[in-house]
Amino acid sequence: MATIADIAVSGAINLLTAFIFLLAFAILRLQPFNDRVYFPKWYLKGLRSSPSRSGAFVRRVVNLDFRSYIRFLNWMPEALNMPEPELIDHAGLDSAVYLRIYLMGLKIFVPITFLAWAILVPVNYTNNALEAVKMVANVTASDIDKLSISNIPLKSQRFWTHIVMAYAFTFWTCYVLLREYEKVASMRLQFLSSERRRPDQFTVLVRNVPPDPDESVSELVEHFFLVNHPDHYLTQQVVCNANKLASLVKYKKKMKNWLDYYHLKFSRNQSQKPQMKTGFLGLWGGKVDAIDHHISVIEKLSKEIEEERKRVLKDPKSIMPAAFVSFKTRWGAAVCAQTQQSRNPTLWLTEWAPEPRDVYWQNLAIPYVALTVRRLIIGVAFFFLTFFFMIPIASVQALASIEGIEKRAPFLKSVIEIKFIKSVIQGFLPGIALKLFLIFLPTILMIMSKFEGFISLSSLERRSATRYYIFLIINVFLGSILTGAAFEQLNSFIKQSANEIPKTIGVAVPMKATFFITYIMVDGWAGIAGEVLMLKPLVLYHLKNFFLVKTEKDREEAMNPGSLGFHTGEPRIQLYFLLGLVYSTVTPVLLPFIIIFFAFAFVVFRHQIINVYNQQYESGAAFWPDVHGRVITALVISQLALMGLMSTKEAAQSTPFLIALPVLTIWFHRFCNGRHKSAFVKYPLQVMFFCMTNSGS
């Protein structure tokens, strides 16, 4: 059980780490040779030029303006200065709404923290129940636990305070959720109605086109929509399997880049035309004129590409049973996308076409039955992945409680009782170990989502985020509590009667707050500071720039701006919502750590969105119902956890009053979805008609 001293050591280590990261970032971002690493978004938009192109060599590498170092923290207010409408124009609605998740966390937890510390902390602290329990049941506890509900004796009337606060926290959270749902829904509809005309706004994706022996897929699709949508149908494009064509295009692009390089080389020294060897990797073979050689190769590739394109369009085996169908108006596309086209609901499946950047081409032609089988397989695989991950979680919890280990392995006592080592192990190591265990999980979940057959990057990320959140609830939250409590109280479980075990668990669950505090400091403080430093992109850019960059096109591709990564970032945020809501009435001492995370992360990610991240797609904030639902899930879990804890406290008179909370919360969730969710899954015809009348579309 981590003590106040252990938490202080962890806090010092993580604050020092965060400070070092921020100081390194503040210095590195000012250097001209790092400009493309820390401001790539402006380069991609063509609004920034490299400061290292002109002036003395030293000035092109190092910033010699010492006044800029004095203002090294200016990036924080600069990140907050851009108004939200301008941010939407600059980065898109997805990025702006993603930031509202952090703001929503601050709106929820700042008032809750104030009330919890003003009311619940004094109520919890002015008791001595833990001292009595430790004497009777040999349960481990720390000074931090005296601030929790565990310090209140059985059958106490003080539990009424926690029940009243649970209602207050629930009502406040629901109020904030409702306001945010209304706001984001309004922002989405306004964004859709005012957005510039794009082809995907007039296009529907059609899948599972049935085979016809008398017509090709292209002819069948055109005939079907001319008959069923005669007034609005415009054109169609079938999906083709053109892997060889894509390889040829990619190779031609590479050759063009080499041609640009040799032109640039010749422009610098026109006395001699550049030469190259035609053998393997240019190591041997006869010498030829590099420019003429690449021109001839490109001409040959252009002919091959044209021939391959014609072959693909004529080859029935290359035509997939899917097509993009375009309409004359948005209204016509909306009607088609949101209606059933055939008596057989598994044929002629229509949905809004993702924007070109959002399409995941590999999954467009998967048959309906195959999709069902794939999702069954992945469901079973995810179950076993979640179950077997309990093993490393249990190992992490073994590190989280030194006192518990000493009871079962006394021979380690002489080593781990050294004060500093003990503080580091309990206050820092468990959080970093758990974070390391989770590094590869998002990649695994994304592979699983791709196998399931989703057709857009946005839907892939939303599915991965859902699975990641479930995984975090079961393994990180419930796993940490249950395995930690069981291991920590193992000696007591063996010696006490069976009917006393639930009481011991009820006392032990709030004690795991110290573990989550260390995790928040590692992941939410030092981890967020590491995000803004971008050490990996920095190293990779300079390695590519030194070894691979030949032209400006290469230098642009060497930049790695990345993106928000909804499938990794949003579940991570939701874990903090879960921890904050669960421990708000149980151990309020955790709440300030949550607030620091939301405030710090909001500033950091706002800076990254403005200057760094280049979003891969724009979904119009279609992910918000998932965000809302996961906060509701956290709220219900917190209510059920409090009910279970109160039942171990023999608060028979007060506990029944908590039963209404999850019922009201679930009703509230259904109300919000009924009121606003349709705006995120369907395009209102009224909005489409407004677009049609105001833009001629």
Side-chain angles (χ1 to χ4, degrees):
M1 179 61 61
T3 63
I4 292 179
D6 300 332
I7 297 298
V9 170
S10 177
I13 293 174
N14 286 288
L15 284 174
L16 180 62
T17 304
F19 176 76
I20 292 173
F21 285 166
L22 292 176
L23 184 62
F25 163 71
I27 295 173
L28 290 172
R29 70 186 288 268
L30 295 175
Q31 310 312 314
F33 66 96
N34 291 330
D35 205 57
R36 288 179 178 269
V37 178
Y38 293 110
F39 301 95
K41 188 159 194 168
W42 299 100
Y43 281 93
L44 294 175
K45 286 178 170 286
L47 300 176
R48 192 179 182 98
S49 58
S50 177
S52 59
R53 288 185 176 180
S54 59
F57 174 76
V58 176
R59 290 186 177 274
R60 285 185 287 169
V61 178
V62 181
N63 186 347
L64 299 179
D65 183 5
F66 293 102
R67 291 174 297 179
S68 62
Y69 293 96
I70 299 175
R71 305 186 300 269
F72 71 96
L73 289 178
N74 275 8
W75 66 271
M76 291 188 176
E78 288 173 359
L80 299 174
N81 284 340
M82 183 178 286
E84 189 171 65
E86 185 179 343
L87 181 65
I88 293 173
D89 291 337
H90 176 69
L93 185 65
D94 279 344
S95 298
V97 171
Y98 185 86
L99 288 173
R100 293 193 71 90
I101 305 176
Y102 294 105
L103 278 180
M104 184 172 67
L106 291 173
K107 291 177 182 178
I108 290 174
F109 287 113
V110 169
I112 285 179
T113 302
F114 177 78
L115 283 176
W117 276 77
I119 299 174
L120 291 181
V121 169
V123 170
N124 294 336
Y125 188 72
T126 54
N127 285 277
N128 59 357
L130 281 177
E131 295 297 328
V133 172
K134 283 197 291 184
M135 294 176 61
V136 174
N138 194 28
V139 173
T140 57
S142 70
D143 292 335
I144 293 178
D145 298 315
K146 294 179 181 179
L147 302 176
S148 74
I149 197 174
S150 298
N151 202 34
I152 296 181
L154 304 179
K155 301 180 181 180
S156 174
Q157 294 298 313
R158 295 193 178 199
F159 288 124
W160 285 104
T161 307
H162 297 81
I163 292 174
V164 172
M165 288 295 98
Y167 271 90
F169 296 164
T170 296
F171 290 158
W172 174 249
T173 303
C174 289
Y175 172 76
V176 174
L177 284 173
L178 178 61
R179 297 287 297 183
E180 288 298 313
Y181 216 149
E182 291 174 346
K183 176 64 175 177
V184 175
S186 175
M187 291 170 65
R188 173 177 167 83
L189 294 178
Q190 182 179 359
F191 179 79
L192 294 176
S193 62
S194 61
E195 199 177 13
R196 296 171 185 171
R197 299 172 62 181
R198 300 195 319 263
D200 56 278
Q201 296 170 340
F202 300 80
T203 305
V204 169
L205 173 62
V206 183
R207 294 190 293 164
N208 276 31
V209 177
D212 190 314
D214 300 323
E215 290 183 305
S216 66
V217 174
S218 178
E219 293 170 341
L220 181 61
V221 170
E222 184 166 11
H223 178 257
F224 180 87
F225 283 94
L226 280 173
V227 171
N228 293 283
H229 299 268
D231 297 330
H232 301 284
Y233 170 75
L234 180 62
T235 187
Q236 54 82 27
Q237 174 61 58
V238 294
V239 177
C240 302
N241 182 0
N243 292 333
K244 183 180 179 181
L245 179 62
S247 300
L248 290 172
V249 171
K250 183 178 180 180
Y251 185 59
K252 180 182 176 181
K253 181 181 177 182
K254 179 181 177 181
M255 290 297 102
K256 280 187 174 181
N257 193 53
W258 275 106
L259 180 61
D260 292 340
Y261 165 70
Y262 285 117
H263 274 304
L264 181 64
K265 187 176 181 180
F266 181 62
S267 66
R268 292 172 179 172
N269 182 16
Q270 297 187 5
S271 61
Q272 183 179 3
K273 298 192 73 174
Q275 303 285 312
M276 64 171 289
K277 294 181 179 180
T278 57
F280 179 71
L281 295 177
L283 298 177
W284 57 73
K287 282 189 176 183
V288 296
D289 185 299
I291 295 177
D292 293 340
H293 174 74
H294 281 89
I295 290 175
S296 64
V297 170
I298 291 172
E299 290 176 351
K300 181 181 178 182
L301 285 172
S302 298
K303 295 178 181 178
E304 291 181 8
I305 288 172
E306 186 61 29
E307 291 173 0
E308 179 64 18
R309 181 180 288 112
K310 293 177 180 178
R311 187 197 67 78
V312 167
L313 293 176
K314 292 180 180 179
D315 185 6
K317 295 181 179 179
S318 299
I319 306 300
M320 301 292 102
F324 290 96
V325 180
S326 297
F327 293 82
K328 299 175 182 177
T329 64
R330 295 187 189 183
W331 191 90
V335 170
C336 180
Q338 296 165 188
T339 55
Q340 183 173 316
Q341 305 300 313
S342 170
R343 294 179 181 179
N344 186 342
T346 66
L347 300 177
W348 295 103
L349 302 178
T350 58
E351 58 186 291
W352 279 103
E355 64 164 325
R357 296 177 301 169
D358 194 19
V359 177
Y360 188 69
W361 297 96
Q362 290 88 327
N363 287 347
L364 290 183
I366 299 176
Y368 182 83
V369 176
L371 285 175
T372 306
V373 174
R374 284 170 175 241
R375 289 173 186 179
L376 175 62
I377 293 172
I378 292 300
V380 175
F382 178 70
F383 171 80
F384 284 104
L385 175 68
T386 304
F387 178 78
F388 285 111
F389 208 84
M390 278 289 185
I391 297 173
I393 291 292
S395 302
V396 171
Q397 289 306 315
L399 292 173
S401 175
I402 288 181
E403 290 88 346
I405 294 174
E406 288 178 350
K407 292 176 184 177
R408 309 307 303 169
F411 59 89
L412 296 175
K413 185 173 182 179
S414 59
V415 177
I416 60 180
E417 277 299 322
I418 299 174
K419 189 173 182 180
F420 179 74
I421 294 178
K422 180 179 179 180
S423 296
V424 170
I425 290 176
Q426 286 198 317
F428 180 73
L429 191 57
I432 195 69
L434 181 58
K435 186 169 176 62
L436 291 174
F437 276 127
L438 297 174
I439 285 179
F440 299 105
L441 181 63
T443 303
I444 296 172
L445 296 178
M446 178 57 75
I447 293 172
M448 295 171 72
S449 297
K450 290 178 179 178
F451 182 79
E452 283 187 279
F454 292 96
I455 62 166
S456 64
L457 296 177
S458 56
S459 58
L460 286 171
E461 291 199 346
R462 289 199 295 273
R463 171 63 99 175
S464 297
T466 299
R467 293 199 186 280
Y468 195 12
Y469 181 62
I470 295 171
F471 190 94
L472 291 177
I473 290 178
I474 295 175
N475 282 287
V476 176
F477 179 68
L478 295 178
S480 297
I481 288 177
L482 296 178
T483 58
F487 190 90
E488 188 171 288
Q489 310 305 334
L490 183 59
N491 190 42
S492 299
F493 288 171
I494 295 173
K495 295 182 179 179
Q496 68 187 191
S497 61
N499 61 347
E500 292 295 316
I501 292 177
K503 295 180 182 179
T504 305
I505 293 178
V507 173
V509 167
M511 295 179 188
K512 301 314 296 179
T514 53
F515 167 76
F516 287 119
I517 288 173
T518 63
Y519 180 77
I520 291 169
M521 287 189 288
V522 170
D523 181 69
W525 296 6
I528 295 298
E531 179 73 26
V532 77
L533 179 59
M534 297 177 60
L535 187 59
K536 180 181 175 181
L538 177 68
V539 173
L540 289 178
Y541 171 76
H542 286 297
L543 287 175
K544 292 177 181 178
N545 194 39
F546 186 79
F547 292 106
L548 302 177
V549 169
K550 304 179 295 295
T551 64
E552 282 301 311
K553 182 67 175 176
D554 288 337
R555 186 168 286 107
E556 182 178 308
E557 292 179 352
M559 294 188 298
N560 182 24
S563 61
L564 278 173
F566 179 82
H567 63 297
T568 57
E570 193 269 345
R572 176 185 180 187
I573 304 171
Q574 292 296 344
L575 178 62
Y576 290 95
F577 276 103
L578 177 63
L579 294 177
L581 291 171
V582 167
Y583 283 101
S584 60
T585 53
V586 175
T587 310
V589 71
L590 180 140
L591 292 174
F593 298 89
I594 296 285
I595 290 177
I596 292 173
F597 161 75
F598 278 115
F600 185 38
F602 174 74
V603 175
V604 166
F605 280 99
R606 209 172 199 274
H607 170 273
Q608 297 295 88
I609 285 171
I610 292 173
N611 297 298
V612 181
Y613 295 148
N614 185 40
Q615 195 65 4
Q616 291 180 283
Y617 58 84
E618 177 59 60
S619 70
F623 56 80
W624 191 260
D626 295 332
V627 174
H628 176 90
R630 287 195 261 275
V631 178
I632 290 291
T633 300
L635 193 56
V636 172
I637 290 175
S638 71
Q639 295 158 357
L640 296 177
L642 182 60
M643 289 173 61
L645 180 59
M646 296 286 276
S647 65
T648 67
K649 292 290 188 176
E650 299 181 8
Q653 294 181 346
S654 54
T655 303
F657 286 90
L658 290 171
I659 296 176
L661 275 181
V663 176
L664 291 174
T665 303
I666 293 171
W667 171 86
F668 168 78
H669 177 55
R670 291 175 62 86
F671 167 77
C672 287
N673 277 343
R675 176 67 180 84
H676 298 295
K677 187 176 181 178
S678 61
F680 295 87
V681 295
K682 300 177 181 178
Y683 286 6
L685 294 182
Q686 184 180 16
V687 174
M688 296 299 103
F689 183 75
F690 174 82
C691 296
M692 181 174 64
T693 55
N694 284 271
S695 62
S697 63

